[in-house]
Amino acid sequence: MKLFCALALLSITLPLPALAMPRTDLALCTRSATLLACQDSKGNYYSVRTEGSTFYLRGYESAGKRLWAQTNSRYGALTFFTGLASDGEAWVGYSRRIGWTTLNRVSSSSGQRFALHCSLVGGCR
């Protein structure tokens, strides 16, 4: 009984996020052998379809109200990708996997360029 009272008191004094509650901000997904389709609570959705070493991505970004599509082609440790959005923006880039690290470089038609290095140990920077 004392344990129950302690837990009840603890649940009252802790802020709501500290309590164990199911997450509602996660995307809901459906999949088949070659297709994964997801939608989140903000109205964004995307799908990924595979054909061999090629991935086709399509999606909708609710904040910018734009559709987009991207094609990824994998050749060993290298993956090349190109994309196009309904507002006319285009992008091209590649990902190179070296051990536990992935090096990503992207250039877009809006003039943006960036490099992103991700590792299992250190995260992305």
Side-chain angles (χ1 to χ4, degrees), residues 46-63:
Y46 66 89
S47 66
V48 181
R49 184 172 56 93
T50 59
E51 282 184 19
S53 61
T54 303
F55 296 82
Y56 300 97
L57 296 92
R58 290 179 177 261
Y60 175 74
E61 176 192 348
S62 64

Side-chain angles (χ1 to χ4, degrees), residues 20-69:
M21 297 184 66
R23 301 227 4 221
T24 58
D25 59 340
L26 299 175
L28 296 174
C29 299
T30 305
R31 75 171 281 186
S32 68
T34 60
L35 180 70
L36 171 69
C38 299
Q39 183 171 2
D40 67 18
S41 61
K42 296 177 183 170
N44 301 304
Y45 63 84
Y46 66 89
S47 66
V48 181
R49 184 172 56 93
T50 59
E51 282 184 19
S53 61
T54 303
F55 296 82
Y56 300 97
L57 296 92
R58 290 179 177 261
Y60 175 74
E61 176 192 348
S62 64
K65 306 248 187 281
R66 68 182 196 160
L67 295 166
W68 57 268

Side-chain angles (χ1 to χ4, degrees), residues 26-121:
L26 299 175
L28 296 174
C29 299
T30 305
R31 75 171 281 186
S32 68
T34 60
L35 180 70
L36 171 69
C38 299
Q39 183 171 2
D40 67 18
S41 61
K42 296 177 183 170
N44 301 304
Y45 63 84
Y46 66 89
S47 66
V48 181
R49 184 172 56 93
T50 59
E51 282 184 19
S53 61
T54 303
F55 296 82
Y56 300 97
L57 296 92
R58 290 179 177 261
Y60 175 74
E61 176 192 348
S62 64
K65 306 248 187 281
R66 68 182 196 160
L67 295 166
W68 57 268
Q70 180 175 310
T71 301
N72 297 11
S73 299
R74 186 174 50 217
Y75 304 97
L78 280 173
T79 300
F80 296 97
F81 53 88
T82 58
L84 182 63
S86 58
D87 63 358
E89 183 179 14
W91 59 92
V92 62
Y94 72 90
S95 262
R96 180 176 174 204
R97 192 163 177 164
I98 304 168
W100 287 3
T101 302
T102 305
L103 308 173
N104 305 284
R105 295 198 183 269
V106 183
S107 297
S108 77
S109 60
S110 63
Q112 295 180 345
R113 289 182 162 183
F114 67 91
L116 182 65
H117 301 194
C118 298
S119 125
L120 276 175
V121 177

